Amino acid sequence: EDKVVQSPLSLVVHEGDTVTLNCSYEVTNFRSLLWYKQEKKAPTFLFMLTSSGIEKKSGRLSSILDKKELFSILNITATQTGDSAIYLCAVEAGGANNLFFGTGTRLTVIP
Amino acid sequence: DTGVSQDPRHKITKRGQNVTFRCDPISEHNRLYWYRQTLGQGPEFLTYFQNEAQLEKSRLLSDRFSAERPKGSFSTLEIQRTEQGDSAMYLCASSLGPMNTEAFFGQGTRLTVV
């Protein structure tokens, strides 16, 4: 059964801290891994990763994929209160035209 | 076009009633997905349309659930004889190509069955 596991489930940090969120997966015929940020309702797209070892970066956020060890990390540097959200990892695999989501990591950034 | 829109945003219904949700995708997107998200969980796939054709349905989609996309534009998700376990956020997403291209989610419809 395809599985996506995120850790930690929740995290509380102070503004300015750097955080690392983890996503591991066990799927058949991996195609891509995506990170989403979910604040109130709709998940919003952050990154899509398909190749190992190539870092994707957007401002203070960056992500990398390790297809050998079957995991990805999402880094956020110099965190701000606006980074408080649930961060979802999703994997597209096999012939399925859908994404398998993890349970998410709830990040809270305290001023 | 400001993105994927869903209606209603909230729905409270009594157990046993039927409910219908609507999703309007981004206009040029030919793929439309329905997901369900319960508290503390990531979204779970329900079904997927390419244009008007429903190409995939999850085992989660019992026979009380039906989805349509009659003209390949908006979609409806109907739940018949609602149960308390149906209480969840129902998310719609659309994309121009496969899901791993940038798919956009709607704000969701929160269903509460009392």
Side-chain angles (χ1 to χ4, degrees), chain A:
Chain A
E1 184 181 329
D2 296 326
K3 191 166 59 173
V4 178
V5 178
Q6 292 187 247
S7 64
L9 291 182
S10 65
L11 191 55
V12 180
V13 300
H14 291 281
E15 263 190 323
D17 288 350
T18 293
V19 297
T20 299
L21 310 182
N22 303 291
C23 175
S24 64
Y25 59 90
E26 290 179 33
V27 299
T28 306
N29 296 327
F30 172 89
R31 290 161 68 175
S32 64
L33 184 145
L34 293 86
W35 284 96
Y36 287 85
K37 178 182 182 183
Q38 187 173 28
E39 292 180 83
K40 290 181 181 177
K41 297 280 179 76
T44 54
F45 174 83
L46 294 175
F47 297 111
M48 184 183 80
L49 304 157
T50 54
S51 300
S52 268
I54 299 174
E55 185 183 53
K56 293 252 177 138
K57 203 167 167 62
S58 175
R60 297 177 294 103
L61 277 66
S62 63
S63 183
I64 197 161
L65 174 67
D66 185 328
K67 288 168 75 173
K68 184 179 175 187
E69 300 297 330
L70 308 183
F71 77 91
S72 173
I73 59 171
L74 175 69
N75 277 322
I76 309 175
T77 59
T79 51
Q80 302 170 358
T81 54
D83 296 327
S84 296
I86 296 172
Y87 290 84
L88 293 164
C89 171
V91 171
E92 187 184 27
N97 286 287
N98 72 80
L99 298 175
F100 297 96
F101 282 85
T103 55
T105 293
R106 180 179 289 278
L107 173 67
T108 303
V109 181
I110 300 170

Side-chain angles (χ1 to χ4, degrees), chain B residues 53-64:
Chain B
Q54 187 174 19
L55 296 186
E56 196 169 336
K57 289 168 65 170
S58 162
R59 287 190 301 272
L60 292 174
L61 215 65
S62 77
D63 56 7
R64 295 184 298 105

Side-chain angles (χ1 to χ4, degrees), chain B residues 18-86:
Chain B
N18 299 345
V19 293
T20 300
F21 311 141
R22 177 179 169 123
C23 171
D24 287 90
I26 293 172
S27 57
E28 63 268 23
H29 285 186
N30 57 15
R31 297 188 181 213
L32 186 148
Y33 304 79
W34 284 99
Y35 283 80
R36 181 175 71 186
Q37 187 174 22
T38 53
L39 202 61
Q41 300 296 318
E44 296 172 293
F45 171 76
L46 293 178
T47 190
Y48 146 69
F49 290 85
Q50 181 159 327
N51 299 313
E52 66 275 7
Q54 187 174 19
L55 296 186
E56 196 169 336
K57 289 168 65 170
S58 162
R59 287 190 301 272
L60 292 174
L61 215 65
S62 77
D63 56 7
R64 295 184 298 105
F65 287 70
S66 62
E68 294 183 341
R69 195 183 182 196
K71 297 181 181 177
S73 56
F74 73 91
S75 175
T76 57
L77 177 69
E78 181 183 17
I79 310 174
Q80 296 182 323
R81 305 182 303 282
T82 51
E83 301 172 357
Q84 285 188 315
D86 298 331

